Amino acid sequence: MPLLSRVADVRSRALAAKERTRIYWHLRHARAVGPGAQIGGQPDISASDFVAGEQLRVWSGHRQTLICGWGRIRIGDRCFLNSGVILFSVVSITIGDDVALAGEVYVMDTSSHGVEGKPAYEAPVVIGRGSWIGARSIILPGVSIGERVVVAAGSVVTKDVADDSLVAGNPARFIRTLDYPDHCKRAWCDWSCSCPGQQFGPPLPTLAAKRPI
């Protein structure tokens, strides 16, 4: 192998090792994360009971992404959290496979403070497989969102949403039922799409899984 090629190969391996180290550092508080994780920017991932599946993608740019709280947070395979997403759990937040949370989405399972002398309202949140939560949407405590749901940007979801629904507004209301082709597993589609026949680019790089503690 020519000298320049060897030098380039060594540099490439060193950069890959550095990136793996950076990713593992950001995920150091997680109990377990599957292989293929990608971390962009400087997110704050400090939740004490956080488990994620394979090919997790977390971006943190103009707004810092925050995954925190002492509750249970579970994220499935091939999920995407864009810049500024906040997951704050004191009870339980469960996110299914192939879910996308767009920029500055806020998901909380607690009202944080009570009113009228009453305690804070705390209840689990569930977001079903293949759903797409639009930018700056808010998912309130106790909400269960079905599979392949689209929550329009800026919506405030205060009650349960059925499968294959489009909801929008504050409070979010049902707009229409979404009609998907048979092969579609999820509401959003990009180069990482895992639906049959929908590969737009190369597969995600595979990084070793973070083993359960």
Side-chain angles (χ1 to χ4, degrees), residues 50-88:
F50 172 53
V51 175
E54 298 180 1
Q55 297 181 7
L56 172 69
R57 287 189 288 158
V58 179
W59 297 161
S60 183
H62 67 291
R63 293 284 189 271
Q64 186 177 40
T65 299
L66 177 62
I67 302 174
C68 65
W70 52 95
R72 181 178 184 271
I73 298 178
R74 297 293 183 269
I75 299 179
D77 296 337
R78 299 173 301 277
C79 289
F80 175 44
L81 280 60
N82 212 335
S83 292
V85 164
I86 297 176
L87 301 182
F88 177 45

Side-chain angles (χ1 to χ4, degrees), residues 145-163:
I145 293 175
E147 298 183 355
R148 299 192 302 184
V149 167
V150 175
V151 175
S155 299
V156 179
V157 184
T158 62
K159 59 184 179 180
D160 293 354
V161 180
D163 294 348

